[in-house]
Amino acid sequence: MRILTRAIAAAALVLSSGALHAETYPARSITLIVPFAAGGPSDAIARLVGQSMSQSLGQQVVIENVAGAGGTAGAARAAKADPDGYTLLIHHVALAAGASLYPKLTYDTMTAFAPLGLVNSGPMVLMSKKDYPANDAAALIAKLKADGMKATLAHAGVGSNSHLCTLLLQKALGVTFTQVAYRGTGPAMNDLMSGQVDVLCDQSTTAVPQIEGNTVKGFAVTSKERLPVLKDLPTLQEAGLKDFAFTIWHGLYAPAGTPPEVVATLNKALLQALDDKNVQARFAEVGTQLFPADQRTPAAHQAQFAREVATWQAVIGKNEAKN
Ligand code: MLT
């Protein structure tokens, strides 16, 4: 009888501590892993949204840059973290493309993460160093085609958006460039600005401020429509690459197994951040967009993620985006 009483008491304790955990989450600061170096678009979006989420959660969202291997190093760290809502990940298309590009990942892309919600989507922008001898998209395309391996194209690691854009460009032009890999767009952009590399195709989030600041030259956007904040730049389709279309997006993830009530709390905080007028104004300034309200649920994020994994599986499988 004494054993039974103890067992009931222990079970009650476990249940009540579980309830307490759910009631008090978050009780301490939350780490948000950015899988690229500081100063790039993923970092910028994470800091903006993370700061707003800190306010609604009442706890600091602390950014940790875990860069390397095209964003898969940070993803691996997040996949192995305790599923308690205190370690999160922001990631983009590279998380989906990595499933096909990296045969030896230490996590299963489709099952390792609990999607929390879609954050933003936007185009990439084709840029060059200031003294690159081309002044419009047609001239840039002709120069890249003529130069092939002589042209140096920076990117943020195999599978990153800037890498995928470079591969799509190689395919469209029928040439191979000299690729220079960095741990994120932050350092890649620094080298573009100082003239160490010729060209970078990367997200509008960090491209727009540099083009406006006249530190690099902007040529074209990868979306099907022009970007209002860079309205003078043509789309790559207008510039003659008729099938070129590449739009990227970020999502917020927790490790799989995170309790549903924690997922719900984090999704709510994300939605509040996306409703924050400061966040919306900054998104508009750098040409990145919110997803429609009905697509901001974890379920919509899961569906988008599954579609994207399949898309890149097909592209990479058909050898359309190989080194
Ligand atoms: C990319 O190329 O995938 C990103 O721009 C990397 C980054 O956010 O730094």
Side-chain angles (χ1 to χ4, degrees):
M1 186 60 191
R2 220 174 33 210
I3 292 173
L4 185 64
T5 313
R6 266 202 214 145
I8 291 171
L13 191 69
V14 168
L15 284 175
S16 71
S17 72
L20 191 69
H21 172 82
E23 272 166 29
T24 55
Y25 175 82
R28 55 188 162 86
S29 64
I30 295 169
T31 298
L32 175 52
I33 293 176
V34 172
F36 294 99
S42 304
D43 185 67
I45 296 289
R47 287 176 197 275
L48 186 64
V49 171
Q51 192 182 27
S52 183
M53 286 177 72
S54 295
Q55 281 157 20
S56 53
L57 290 167
Q59 293 290 345
Q60 277 301 112
V61 174
V62 179
I63 304 298
E64 190 184 347
N65 297 88
V66 183
T72 60
R77 168 87 76 86
K80 287 190 198 83
D82 287 340
D84 56 7
Y86 290 102
T87 306
L88 310 179
L89 172 73
I90 187 164
H91 218 311
H92 53 42
V93 175
L95 185 63
S100 302
L101 281 167
Y102 287 86
K104 290 190 182 146
L105 290 176
T106 57
Y107 55 88
D108 178 70
T109 304
M110 284 312 293
T111 57
F113 305 101
L116 301 174
L118 295 161
V119 179
N120 67 309
S121 79
M124 306 284 277
V125 184
L126 198 54
M127 297 163 276
S128 81
K129 62 183 180 183
K130 276 300 294 289
D131 61 358
Y132 199 61
N135 287 325
D136 60 30
L140 179 77
I141 287 169
K143 171 90 181 127
L144 287 175
K145 220 170 163 167
D147 279 0
M149 285 299 278
K150 273 202 279 169
T152 50
L153 272 81
H155 63 70
V158 169
S160 63
N161 292 322
S162 41
H163 181 235
L164 296 172
C165 187
T166 301
L167 298 181
L168 295 173
L169 208 54
Q170 288 189 159
K171 165 99 175 33
L173 301 185
V175 291
T176 304
F177 305 123
T178 297
Q179 296 178 18
V180 187
Y182 294 81
R183 292 165 74 81
T185 293
M189 184 68 89
N190 284 342
D191 271 9
L192 188 73
M193 284 156 57
S194 64
Q196 306 294 311
V197 285
D198 296 328
V199 169
L200 169 66
C201 176
D202 204 60
Q203 298 173 47
S204 65
T205 314
T206 39
V208 169
Q210 298 306 338
I211 293 168
E212 284 175 344
N214 206 25
T215 60
V216 299
K217 288 199 273 197
F219 292 91
V221 294
T222 64
S223 42
K224 289 185 185 153
E225 269 97 44
R226 287 190 183 207
L227 194 60
V229 283
L230 292 175
K231 60 179 178 354
D232 294 338
L233 297 193
T235 65
L236 276 174
Q237 294 193 357
E238 285 175 70
L241 305 186
K242 72 178 175 43
D243 295 323
F244 206 111
F246 184 31
T247 298
I248 70 92
W249 54 274
H250 281 98
L252 208 59
Y253 303 81
T258 300
E261 63 276 14
V262 172
V263 169
T265 300
L266 289 166
N267 176 259
K268 190 169 163 214
L270 173 62
L271 295 190
Q272 283 171 342
L274 298 178
D275 275 342
D276 180 334
K277 295 285 169 269
N278 289 332
V279 171
Q280 292 185 352
R282 190 65 196 140
F283 273 19
E285 277 164 16
V286 295
T288 198
Q289 285 169 6
L290 294 166
F291 280 85
D294 63 347
Q295 285 175 38
R296 296 183 200 164
T297 60
H301 183 184
Q302 176 67 51
Q304 165 88 3
F305 186 57
R307 272 194 303 274
E308 199 86 15
V309 170
T311 300
W312 287 101
Q313 230 158 31
V315 171
I316 292 159
K318 271 197 284 168
N319 217 14
E320 284 182 3
K322 282 258 162 75
N323 272 314

